[in-house]
Amino acid sequence: MNALTAIMAREGQIRATNLTFIFWDLFYPLGYLLVFGVGINASLGFSTADVGVSYNAFFLAGVLAMASFGIASNTSWSFFLDRDNGIFYEMLTYPMSRSQYLLGKVLFNVLVATAQAAVTVGLAAVLLDVPLRSTGWPLLAGATMVGTAGWFFFYAVFALRIRRNDAFNTVTSIFYFVFLFASSMFYPLDPLPSGFRAAAYANPITWQVDVVRYATVGLGDGRTIALEAGAFLLFTAVSFAAAVVALRNQE
């Protein structure tokens, strides 16, 4: 068994100790879609520049991005705990590079995120009649995988550099609030104040959500989506480099 396979097997065994983890990983995004999507769609009404798009269809991309963001955040927390209880330092003595350790964790969670996205998209189409674009599925798969990896690398930097439990929880909670609500995840940006729009367009999760929304239901301009996809790839590369540096500095 090579190093990457061993790390992925360890992550799988951790999940297998509690079936609730597996259920939560796979189905909680659908719960968000059913509660918020159906509720807002039925009670408040909704409109975008594209006539006929329901809130369920609009919010599906937000739910998928939220899910990959949440997986990355939770995995970084386990990363922090491994370092806090000493298991992390034991792992560094094994015959593998530090980059392999990082990538093994990412690959397992990318698989979970991909399965989660497939379940959510399939049930959204069946239960909520969300009109999906089959031509966008390759882009959706790529956005899910890169999105999960990018957010994990980003969070890993803080998991490796922050020493105190309360400080780490504070930082991740602030990130969760700012990234999710200052984005296009829950609502269209066009009617919002210019200051909020500027902050949202500078937010990497907006880039991810817009790409996923274009892939699933076709909302958005192709040229803008290409620019946002490129920006998120750059964000992922920079986050990976920063995470590797933080990992190499661990003694």
Side-chain angles (χ1 to χ4, degrees), residues 179-214:
F179 279 123
L180 265 59
F181 289 99
S183 73
S184 61
M185 182 176 290
F186 297 99
Y187 26 66
L189 297 181
D190 292 340
L192 300 179
S194 58
F196 189 96
R197 286 202 310 272
Y201 283 128
N203 183 351
I205 206 166
T206 292
W207 310 336
Q208 181 188 1
V209 170
D210 288 351
V211 171
V212 174
R213 191 165 284 143
Y214 183 78

Side-chain angles (χ1 to χ4, degrees), residues 6-21:
I7 294 298
M8 292 174 68
R10 177 177 180 265
E11 293 294 314
Q13 289 173 349
I14 293 172
R15 290 293 203 289
T17 58
N18 190 335
L19 292 178
T20 304
F21 289 163

